[in-house]
């Protein structure tokens, strides 16, 4: 028997009020692999992650975590089962220090270990421990919010636009970090504006267009084939 996907959206539709945003979206993220979710602005990528992490309830369809139906579960309960959502635009507490943010991300009893691990991964955070998160640069805030993906010991991490607005050298750091997560056996669902870069570290790719899945398949094939132009070339 094959293992269940770490995460699955099965026929998910979703709406904000009257506006339907997702139509019959099915995405499966196999354990320990990287799945890319790409597509133009407004296609529904962020909404798909929000459905997966319990922030938005689907109007129909199912969410499964390691094969278990979890549709309608709260974000907190899903987090307790190993799902970590690193949201777009830096999921940090701006008025708390870096140290306090890392403390909140670490499981009780392993705070010191968590701070050590995060500062070993991103040394700049070590220099900023006593600084309020809101005063960090965009890149530093992104490193801080990505630290949750390590410290909470998740099995599946959803990352929304991890390189948005970052300098190229920081983007390199962030992608190295994502590769480390994969090497540790953590499944990743990655939304990014840099389609090429994201596809190059992904195993499977999904393209969303106007709330519907337009492509499902190998990330390499999407990168190499004519399909790339067709699906992503325009934006
Ligand atoms: P982007 O990269 O621009 O964030 P996206 O693919 O992540 O795009 P979503 O953020 O999921 O797309 O948005 C999909 C559609 O839903 C857009 O048309 C957007 O305007 C709309 N939308 C998103 N959030 C809300 C909300 N809270 N209320 C109403 N409409 C929303």
């Amino acid at each position: 028997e094959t293992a269940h996907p770490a995460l699955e959206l099965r026929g998910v539709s979703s709406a904000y009020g009257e506006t339907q945003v997702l139509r019959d979206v099915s995405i499966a993220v196999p354990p320990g692999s990287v799945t890319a979710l790409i597509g133009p602005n407004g296609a529904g990528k962020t909404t798909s992650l929000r459905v997966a992490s319990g922030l938005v309830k689907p109007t129909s369809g199912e969410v499964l975590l390691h094969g278990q139906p979890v549709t309608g579960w709260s974000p907190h309960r899903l987090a307790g089962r190993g799902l970590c959502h690193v949201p777009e635009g830096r999921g940090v507490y701006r008025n708390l220090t870096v140290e306090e943010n890392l403390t909140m991300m670490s499981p009780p009893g392993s705070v010191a270990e968590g701070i050590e691990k995060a500062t070993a991964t991103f040394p700049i955070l070590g220099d900023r421990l006593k600084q309020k998160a809101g005063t960090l640069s965009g890149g530093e805030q992104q490193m801080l919010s990505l630290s949750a993906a390590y410290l909470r010991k998740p099995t599946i991490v959803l990352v929304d636009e991890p390189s948005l607005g970052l300098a190229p050298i920081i983007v390199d750091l962030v992608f190295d970090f994502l590769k480390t997560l994969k090497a540790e056996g953590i499944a990743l669902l990655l939304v990014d504006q840099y389609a090429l870069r994201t596809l190059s570290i992904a195993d499977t790719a999904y393209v969303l267009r106007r709330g519907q899945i337009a492509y499902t398949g190998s990330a390499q094939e999407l990168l190499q084939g004519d399909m790339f132009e067709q699906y992503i070339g325009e934006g």
Side-chain angles (χ1 to χ4, degrees):
E1 196 195 329
T2 52
H4 292 294
L7 171 74
E8 194 177 352
L9 301 187
R10 207 181 269 175
V12 161
S13 296
S14 175
Y16 294 110
E18 303 276 280
T19 315
Q20 185 159 15
V21 173
L22 300 178
R23 284 168 222 271
D24 197 23
V25 167
S26 292
I27 295 171
V29 183
S33 77
V34 179
T35 300
L37 178 61
I38 57 186
N41 282 347
K45 304 180 299 294
T46 296
T47 303
S48 300
L49 296 193
R50 291 171 64 85
V51 168
S53 67
L55 291 165
V56 167
K57 309 269 178 265
T59 50
S60 61
E62 268 196 298
V63 182
L64 298 102
L65 196 59
H66 302 290
Q68 178 181 17
V70 295
T71 319
W73 282 30
S74 71
H76 181 76
R77 195 168 170 208
L78 289 166
R81 292 297 176 89
L83 183 142
C84 172
H85 184 181
V86 180
E88 192 176 15
R90 333 277 180 247
V92 299
Y93 295 97
R94 301 176 56 84
N95 291 321
L96 298 184
T97 65
V98 168
E99 189 170 26
E100 288 162 345
N101 270 277
L102 291 171
T103 299
M104 294 185 63
M105 289 173 191
S106 303
S110 56
V111 170
E113 182 200 327
I115 290 172
E116 205 178 292
K117 200 164 182 186
T119 55
T121 309
F122 299 121
I124 190 74
L125 295 181
D127 302 337
R128 303 274 188 270
L129 281 177
K130 303 292 178 200
Q131 204 170 310
K132 290 226 164 113
T135 68
L136 299 176
S137 72
E140 291 161 357
Q141 287 188 38
Q142 185 62 278
M143 291 179 225
L144 180 56
S145 71
L146 279 167
S147 297
Y150 232 90
L151 303 182
R152 298 209 172 107
K153 303 186 196 306
T155 54
I156 163 95
V157 179
L158 320 177
V159 194
D160 201 349
E161 303 276 9
S163 53
L164 193 66
L166 302 185
I169 190 163
I170 309 292
V171 174
D172 289 345
L173 250 175
V174 164
F175 273 81
D176 285 346
F177 176 71
L178 296 173
K179 285 185 222 162
T180 310
L181 293 182
K182 183 189 177 181
E184 296 203 350
I186 296 172
L188 295 174
L189 178 57
L190 204 52
V191 165
D192 205 282
Q193 57 169 344
Y194 290 98
L196 284 171
R197 182 136 206 177
T198 299
L199 288 174
S200 71
I201 67 160
D203 303 292
T204 312
Y206 291 84
V207 178
L208 253 186
R209 252 198 189 162
R210 296 196 203 98
Q212 290 183 294
I213 298 291
Y215 172 90
T216 304
S218 142
Q220 283 309 309
E221 273 175 36
L222 184 57
L223 260 180
Q224 289 157 6
D226 302 339
M227 287 175 294
F228 188 77
E229 286 293 306
Q230 186 188 334
Y231 287 119
I232 313 150
E234 64 201 62

